[in-house]
Amino acid sequence: KTIITKASTVKDSLKDADVSVGQYDSIDPSVDSKLEDGMVIINIRRARPILVIDGQRQVRVITAAQSASDIAKTANIQLYAEDQTTLSPVDDILASGGAGLELNIHRAKVLNMHLYGQEILLRTQSKTVAELLREKQISLGPDDGMNLSPNTLISEGMNLQVWRNGIQTINSTEQ
């Protein structure tokens, strides 16, 4: 919609154009922004209901956010880089409580790794230990050993140990 206005703020120009905005809509520049002489483009992103599905947990939010990370943040759900998300239309709007979109979160598996004496908590979507090592760019040398076979399937909470034969690293904290 194009309008010509003498309004001095975004809020006043929206009023002149008879454009209403809801409390969850996103307006850029903000409604309190001053309008300078010349052409100004005001973007309004309308909020919509979204069903966020995180395993067994379902949260309904109303947001104008566009990205999966911003939608999850609105739902007070933390995403990690290794988590995967899909945003898609719902099949049954009534069953979803009126939401037209759903955000599905596919959590990465969390495992413990003991890498050359250092404890690391890893998240991954990899299926096997070999895929995990490639994903995390861990190359085993000829003197390195592992407690699991490279073909071992990744499972939640598993422990993977990698060591260098003949060399021991000990980490200690003294007070």
Side-chain angles (χ1 to χ4, degrees):
K1 188 173 196 177
T2 303
I3 65 162
I4 298 174
T5 183
K6 293 183 184 215
S8 60
T9 65
V10 170
K11 181 178 184 178
D12 292 339
S13 68
L14 293 174
K15 186 177 178 183
D16 286 352
D18 197 28
V19 173
S20 63
V21 291
Q23 81 181 77
Y24 299 109
D25 293 341
S26 171
I27 303 158
D28 183 38
S30 70
V31 291
D32 297 326
S33 296
K34 299 268 185 219
L35 296 178
E36 304 295 326
D37 291 336
M39 186 174 85
V40 175
I41 297 174
I42 301 171
N43 292 307
I44 301 172
R45 289 191 181 85
R46 297 289 182 188
R48 68 245 191 253
I50 299 175
L51 176 63
V52 181
I53 302 171
D54 183 12
Q56 297 298 316
R57 180 179 176 202
Q58 293 188 1
V59 180
R60 286 173 186 77
V61 296
I62 297 175
T63 181
Q66 301 294 307
S67 70
S69 61
D70 288 342
I71 294 168
K73 191 181 294 180
T74 301
N76 291 321
I77 295 174
Q78 182 174 1
L79 288 180
Y80 297 94
E82 296 85 358
D83 294 334
Q84 295 178 345
T85 60
T86 54
L87 188 62
S88 58
V90 297
D91 294 329
D92 186 351
I93 291 177
L94 292 177
S96 71
L101 289 174
E102 70 181 24
L103 174 66
N104 276 292
I105 301 171
H106 309 282
R107 293 289 181 181
K109 291 182 182 130
V110 180
L111 61 124
N112 300 302
M113 183 173 201
H114 186 86
L115 180 63
Y116 305 125
Q118 182 180 6
E119 293 292 333
I120 303 170
L121 187 68
L122 294 178
R123 297 176 190 282
T124 185
Q125 294 284 342
S126 297
K127 303 289 185 220
T128 65
V129 170
E131 288 177 22
L132 170 71
L133 295 175
R134 275 193 302 277
E135 174 193 344
K136 301 299 181 184
Q137 299 177 351
I138 299 171
S139 300
L140 299 181
D143 294 332
D144 294 345
M146 263 190 325
N147 67 327
L148 300 173
S149 160
N151 296 326
T152 303
L153 295 177
I154 300 288
S155 61
E156 185 73 27
M158 76 183 298
N159 289 303
L160 174 61
Q161 297 178 16
V162 177
W163 63 85
R164 178 146 298 144
N165 287 320
I167 298 174
Q168 298 297 322
T169 304
I170 299 173
N171 293 330
S172 67
T173 303
E174 295 181 16
Q175 294 188 16

